[in-house]
Amino acid sequence: MTPAADLAPRVLVPLAIRGEPPAWGQVVHALQGQSMGTTWSVRCVGPAALRLDAIEAVIAATLNDVIAQMSHWEASSALSRFNVAPPGHVQSLPAGFATVMDAALRVATASDGAYDPGAGELVALWGFGPAWLRPRHDEPGFALPTEAQIAAAQRDWRTLRWDAHQRRLTQPGGVRLDLSAIAKGHAVDRVSDALAECGLPDHLVEIGGELRGAGLKPDGQPWWVDLEPPTPDCGLPPTRLALHGLAIATSGDYRRCFTTADGRRLPHTLDPRSGRPITHGMASVSVVHDSAMWADAWSTALTVLGHEAGLALAQAQGLAALLVWREADGRFAEAWTPALQELAL
């Protein structure tokens, strides 16, 4: 197959460019670090003498707040406390957690459970959760789950009682939340909002590959990013996106996977409906949205659904999405939704 880099790129731009370029003399500052089990990076436009230590402290505080609310790796987080609560326990959620929970349940409903915020027990069973809960898939002691274990781990997310007005969530008993497929996108949005509140409206935020761009660079250009192909020689032209008031999230089976003892390659993406990793050949799904949180959740749901059902749902929801899958002969094929095609030059 032809390397993607040898093909002319497709270019996507927002439907409208708003705002003026930064004032003369502004420069692009770069910050980076680690959080939420991954890396983060920020590019922001500001005066040459901008106090980067203060900005980094704001970013760290924002990410730590997301962890304290929604990490399933931290036993003391609000999410972890809900996961071990007895049946009938009613928990008041902080604002960020409530925002994510409401969005997660909406995507779960629209996708008929292809995305399921209550699949935490399944995630742990397949070795993708914290080691203190169950052995990780890459650690001694891990064994592929049995049919009985899978059936026992499956929970019906619809038993969760959510009062959006009061921000109260009721534990029906045994439901373990896992918001890792949406909380990272929420964290991107939170950092972007925090930078704007600090007087830095022109910035690019990236956490674990999910991105959101706002404003413009000093030269008046938007923040250009290239979508990651499933393989360097996938044979599909590269896609370049101007992140100006837009976010993008990508899910796929090429990012994280593990090989079983009998040589099977299983992605980390689980289908909560079957209780097993997906096997339908969906390679990647990229969703462009004005919110990284929604892009994050939708990219996961569409990946689980596969290219036919995923494309149908993306079109029904008016999502700007690029779906890439493997054909039976090993070649890659793709589909663009009408909303994404509207962004193409």
Side-chain angles (χ1 to χ4, degrees):
M1 289 183 281
T2 305
D6 293 344
L7 301 171
R10 289 85 60 90
V11 178
L12 305 174
V13 298
L15 297 178
I17 300 291
R18 298 182 177 88
E20 299 294 328
W24 184 85
Q26 304 276 296
V27 299
V28 177
H29 299 277
L31 293 166
Q32 59 186 9
Q34 294 184 328
S35 184
M36 302 178 67
T38 187
T39 59
W40 63 264
S41 64
V42 164
R43 302 290 184 270
C44 59
V45 179
L50 182 67
R51 285 189 53 199
L52 295 182
D53 57 339
I55 302 304
E56 187 169 4
V58 169
I59 295 170
T62 302
L63 295 176
N64 288 339
D65 184 56
V66 174
I67 291 171
Q69 292 186 35
M70 287 170 276
S71 174
H72 67 290
W73 295 81
E74 299 290 337
S76 61
S77 72
L79 181 145
S80 292
R81 294 197 303 273
F82 178 86
N83 284 347
V84 298
H89 170 77
V90 180
Q91 187 164 323
S92 296
L93 305 188
F97 193 167
T99 296
V100 171
M101 196 69 229
D102 192 70
L105 289 172
R106 289 175 184 270
V107 175
T109 300
S111 66
D112 198 23
Y115 169 74
D116 184 350
E121 189 64 27
L122 277 173
V123 172
L125 185 65
W126 283 92
F128 302 146
W132 56 263
L133 187 60
R134 289 180 183 269
R136 297 271 298 162
H137 66 83
D138 52 359
E139 295 179 342
F142 172 75
L144 290 175
T146 64
E147 297 288 337
Q149 288 175 319
I150 292 173
Q154 288 180 290
R155 298 288 187 272
D156 193 333
W157 57 271
R158 288 165 292 196
T159 61
L160 287 164
R161 286 182 292 172
W162 169 234
D163 184 338
H165 180 68
Q166 298 292 329
R167 298 198 323 224
R168 293 176 179 172
L169 187 66
T170 302
Q171 169 64 268
V175 173
R176 182 174 291 276
L177 299 177
D178 182 341
L179 299 176
S180 56
I182 186 172
K184 187 170 60 175
H186 170 71
V188 171
D189 290 337
R190 286 278 305 274
V191 171
S192 177
D193 292 343
L195 291 171
E197 291 172 3
C198 290
L200 301 171
D202 304 292
H203 56 258
L204 176 68
V205 178
E206 179 269 334
I207 302 177
E210 322 299 12
L211 302 105
R212 176 173 164 179
L216 300 166
K217 294 190 289 186
D219 60 2
Q221 286 287 315
W223 304 95
W224 290 100
V225 299
D226 291 331
L227 276 62
E228 183 180 5
T231 65
D233 61 346
C234 65
L236 301 175
T239 303
R240 186 163 295 159
L241 170 65
L243 281 182
H244 172 83
L246 293 174
I248 185 167
T250 300
S251 297
D253 68 356
Y254 68 96
R255 281 190 166 183
R256 294 188 300 166
C257 62
F258 74 100
T259 303
T260 64
D262 58 2
R264 287 182 294 158
R265 179 181 177 276
L266 298 177
H268 280 208
T269 302
L270 295 175
D271 185 340
R273 302 166 301 176
S274 68
R276 296 169 177 80
I278 60 173
T279 58
H280 48 51
M282 180 63 81
S284 72
V285 176
S286 296
V287 175
V288 180
H289 201 282
D290 57 5
S291 161
M293 176 188 72
W294 287 99
D296 202 5
W298 278 121
S299 66
T300 299
L302 301 181
T303 298
V304 171
L305 285 169
H307 76 271
E308 292 183 354
L311 181 61
L313 180 59
Q315 292 174 334
Q317 293 290 325
L319 298 172
L322 169 60
L323 294 81
V324 179
W325 64 93
R326 294 177 179 83
E327 298 280 21
D329 61 2
R331 295 179 179 272
F332 288 92
E334 67 175 11
W336 292 39
T337 62
L340 189 70
Q341 291 171 353
E342 290 182 3
L343 304 180
L345 284 177

